[in-house]
Short mmCIF file of all heavy atoms in Angstrom, two decimals:
data_model
loop_
_atom_site.label_atom_id
_atom_site.label_comp_id
_atom_site.label_asym_id
_atom_site.label_seq_id
_atom_site.Cartn_x
_atom_site.Cartn_y
_atom_site.Cartn_z
N LYS P 56 -21.26 -12.98 -10.92
CA LYS P 56 -22.64 -13.32 -11.20
C LYS P 56 -22.92 -13.15 -12.68
O LYS P 56 -22.53 -12.13 -13.26
CB LYS P 56 -23.56 -12.39 -10.40
CG LYS P 56 -23.91 -12.96 -9.03
CD LYS P 56 -24.74 -11.97 -8.24
CE LYS P 56 -23.95 -11.49 -7.05
NZ LYS P 56 -24.57 -10.42 -6.31
N PRO P 57 -23.58 -14.10 -13.32
CA PRO P 57 -23.88 -13.93 -14.74
C PRO P 57 -24.86 -12.79 -14.96
O PRO P 57 -25.73 -12.55 -14.12
CB PRO P 57 -24.50 -15.28 -15.15
CG PRO P 57 -24.82 -15.99 -13.90
CD PRO P 57 -24.05 -15.38 -12.78
N THR P 58 -24.70 -12.09 -16.09
CA THR P 58 -25.66 -11.04 -16.44
C THR P 58 -26.99 -11.69 -16.81
O THR P 58 -28.05 -11.23 -16.42
CB THR P 58 -25.13 -10.21 -17.62
OG1 THR P 58 -23.79 -9.81 -17.30
CG2 THR P 58 -25.99 -8.98 -17.85
N SER P 59 -26.90 -12.81 -17.56
CA SER P 59 -28.11 -13.60 -17.80
C SER P 59 -27.70 -15.05 -18.01
O SER P 59 -26.52 -15.34 -18.22
CB SER P 59 -28.86 -13.07 -19.02
OG SER P 59 -28.08 -13.29 -20.18
N GLY P 60 -28.67 -15.95 -17.92
CA GLY P 60 -28.37 -17.36 -18.09
C GLY P 60 -28.55 -18.11 -16.78
O GLY P 60 -28.84 -17.52 -15.75
N GLU P 61 -28.37 -19.45 -16.86
CA GLU P 61 -28.73 -20.29 -15.73
C GLU P 61 -27.65 -21.33 -15.50
O GLU P 61 -27.06 -21.84 -16.43
CB GLU P 61 -30.06 -20.98 -16.05
CG GLU P 61 -30.76 -21.52 -14.85
CD GLU P 61 -32.05 -22.26 -15.25
OE1 GLU P 61 -32.26 -22.51 -16.46
OE2 GLU P 61 -32.82 -22.58 -14.35
N ILE P 62 -27.36 -21.58 -14.23
CA ILE P 62 -26.42 -22.64 -13.88
C ILE P 62 -27.19 -23.72 -13.13
O ILE P 62 -27.89 -23.44 -12.16
CB ILE P 62 -25.28 -22.10 -13.01
CG1 ILE P 62 -24.51 -21.02 -13.77
CG2 ILE P 62 -24.35 -23.24 -12.59
CD1 ILE P 62 -23.45 -20.33 -12.94
N ILE P 63 -27.08 -24.97 -13.65
CA ILE P 63 -27.80 -26.08 -13.02
C ILE P 63 -26.78 -27.07 -12.48
O ILE P 63 -25.90 -27.53 -13.21
CB ILE P 63 -28.74 -26.77 -14.02
CG1 ILE P 63 -29.80 -25.76 -14.46
CG2 ILE P 63 -29.40 -28.00 -13.41
CD1 ILE P 63 -30.62 -26.22 -15.62
N ILE P 64 -26.90 -27.39 -11.20
CA ILE P 64 -25.96 -28.32 -10.59
C ILE P 64 -26.74 -29.47 -9.98
O ILE P 64 -27.70 -29.24 -9.24
CB ILE P 64 -25.09 -27.59 -9.55
CG1 ILE P 64 -24.20 -26.60 -10.29
CG2 ILE P 64 -24.25 -28.60 -8.77
CD1 ILE P 64 -23.33 -25.78 -9.44
N ASN P 65 -26.35 -30.69 -10.32
CA ASN P 65 -27.05 -31.90 -9.89
C ASN P 65 -28.54 -31.81 -10.20
O ASN P 65 -29.38 -32.20 -9.40
CB ASN P 65 -26.88 -32.11 -8.38
CG ASN P 65 -25.44 -32.47 -8.06
OD1 ASN P 65 -24.79 -33.17 -8.83
ND2 ASN P 65 -24.95 -31.98 -6.94
N GLY P 66 -28.85 -31.22 -11.36
CA GLY P 66 -30.23 -31.17 -11.81
C GLY P 66 -31.05 -30.05 -11.20
O GLY P 66 -32.20 -29.86 -11.55
N LYS P 67 -30.44 -29.28 -10.27
CA LYS P 67 -31.22 -28.21 -9.65
C LYS P 67 -30.63 -26.85 -10.03
O LYS P 67 -29.40 -26.69 -10.01
CB LYS P 67 -31.18 -28.34 -8.12
CG LYS P 67 -32.08 -29.44 -7.61
CD LYS P 67 -32.02 -29.49 -6.08
CE LYS P 67 -32.30 -30.91 -5.60
NZ LYS P 67 -31.27 -31.42 -4.71
N PRO P 68 -31.48 -25.88 -10.34
CA PRO P 68 -30.95 -24.54 -10.64
C PRO P 68 -30.20 -23.99 -9.42
O PRO P 68 -30.69 -24.10 -8.30
CB PRO P 68 -32.20 -23.70 -10.92
CG PRO P 68 -33.29 -24.67 -11.13
CD PRO P 68 -32.95 -25.94 -10.43
N ALA P 69 -29.03 -23.50 -9.64
CA ALA P 69 -28.21 -23.01 -8.53
C ALA P 69 -28.06 -21.51 -8.63
O ALA P 69 -27.65 -20.99 -9.65
CB ALA P 69 -26.84 -23.68 -8.57
N LYS P 70 -28.41 -20.84 -7.56
CA LYS P 70 -28.16 -19.38 -7.50
C LYS P 70 -26.91 -19.20 -6.67
O LYS P 70 -26.93 -19.36 -5.47
CB LYS P 70 -29.33 -18.69 -6.81
CG LYS P 70 -30.40 -18.22 -7.75
CD LYS P 70 -30.82 -16.78 -7.44
CE LYS P 70 -31.75 -16.23 -8.49
NZ LYS P 70 -33.07 -16.89 -8.50
N MET P 71 -25.81 -18.94 -7.35
CA MET P 71 -24.58 -18.82 -6.59
C MET P 71 -24.22 -17.37 -6.38
O MET P 71 -23.73 -16.69 -7.26
CB MET P 71 -23.47 -19.59 -7.28
CG MET P 71 -23.68 -21.08 -7.04
SD MET P 71 -22.38 -22.06 -7.70
CE MET P 71 -22.69 -21.85 -9.40
N GLU P 72 -24.51 -16.90 -5.17
CA GLU P 72 -24.29 -15.48 -4.88
C GLU P 72 -22.84 -15.25 -4.44
O GLU P 72 -22.33 -14.16 -4.53
CB GLU P 72 -25.24 -15.04 -3.76
CG GLU P 72 -26.71 -15.09 -4.15
CD GLU P 72 -27.07 -13.99 -5.13
OE1 GLU P 72 -26.46 -12.93 -5.07
OE2 GLU P 72 -27.97 -14.22 -5.97
N ASN P 73 -22.20 -16.27 -3.90
CA ASN P 73 -20.83 -16.09 -3.41
C ASN P 73 -20.10 -17.44 -3.42
O ASN P 73 -20.71 -18.49 -3.60
CB ASN P 73 -20.82 -15.47 -2.01
CG ASN P 73 -21.58 -16.32 -1.02
OD1 ASN P 73 -21.39 -17.53 -0.97
ND2 ASN P 73 -22.45 -15.70 -0.25
N PRO P 74 -18.79 -17.40 -3.25
CA PRO P 74 -18.01 -18.63 -3.35
C PRO P 74 -18.44 -19.69 -2.33
O PRO P 74 -18.33 -20.88 -2.59
CB PRO P 74 -16.58 -18.16 -3.04
CG PRO P 74 -16.57 -16.72 -3.34
CD PRO P 74 -17.94 -16.23 -3.05
N ARG P 75 -18.94 -19.24 -1.18
CA ARG P 75 -19.35 -20.20 -0.16
C ARG P 75 -20.47 -21.11 -0.68
O ARG P 75 -20.47 -22.32 -0.46
CB ARG P 75 -19.81 -19.44 1.09
CG ARG P 75 -20.06 -20.32 2.29
CD ARG P 75 -20.22 -19.49 3.55
NE ARG P 75 -18.95 -19.27 4.22
CZ ARG P 75 -18.42 -20.12 5.10
NH1 ARG P 75 -19.07 -21.23 5.42
NH2 ARG P 75 -17.27 -19.87 5.67
N GLU P 76 -21.41 -20.50 -1.41
CA GLU P 76 -22.52 -21.31 -1.93
C GLU P 76 -22.04 -22.26 -3.02
O GLU P 76 -22.49 -23.40 -3.09
CB GLU P 76 -23.62 -20.38 -2.47
CG GLU P 76 -24.40 -19.74 -1.34
CD GLU P 76 -25.35 -18.65 -1.83
OE1 GLU P 76 -25.98 -18.83 -2.87
OE2 GLU P 76 -25.42 -17.61 -1.14
N ALA P 77 -21.12 -21.79 -3.84
CA ALA P 77 -20.57 -22.67 -4.88
C ALA P 77 -19.86 -23.84 -4.23
O ALA P 77 -19.99 -25.00 -4.64
CB ALA P 77 -19.60 -21.88 -5.76
N LYS P 78 -19.15 -23.53 -3.18
CA LYS P 78 -18.40 -24.55 -2.45
C LYS P 78 -19.36 -25.57 -1.85
O LYS P 78 -19.13 -26.77 -1.92
CB LYS P 78 -17.64 -23.84 -1.33
CG LYS P 78 -16.28 -24.35 -1.09
CD LYS P 78 -15.55 -23.43 -0.12
CE LYS P 78 -16.38 -23.24 1.14
NZ LYS P 78 -15.76 -22.29 2.08
N ALA P 79 -20.45 -25.06 -1.29
CA ALA P 79 -21.44 -25.96 -0.68
C ALA P 79 -22.02 -26.89 -1.72
O ALA P 79 -22.44 -28.01 -1.41
CB ALA P 79 -22.54 -25.13 -0.01
#
Side-chain angles (χ1 to χ4, degrees):
Chain P
K56 269 176 246 173
T58 309
S59 66
E61 198 182 11
I62 299 174
I63 296 169
I64 293 178
N65 292 324
K67 284 181 208 126
K70 268 227 172 68
M71 284 184 290
E72 295 288 329
N73 59 47
R75 189 168 270 273
E76 285 171 41
K78 219 171 53 183

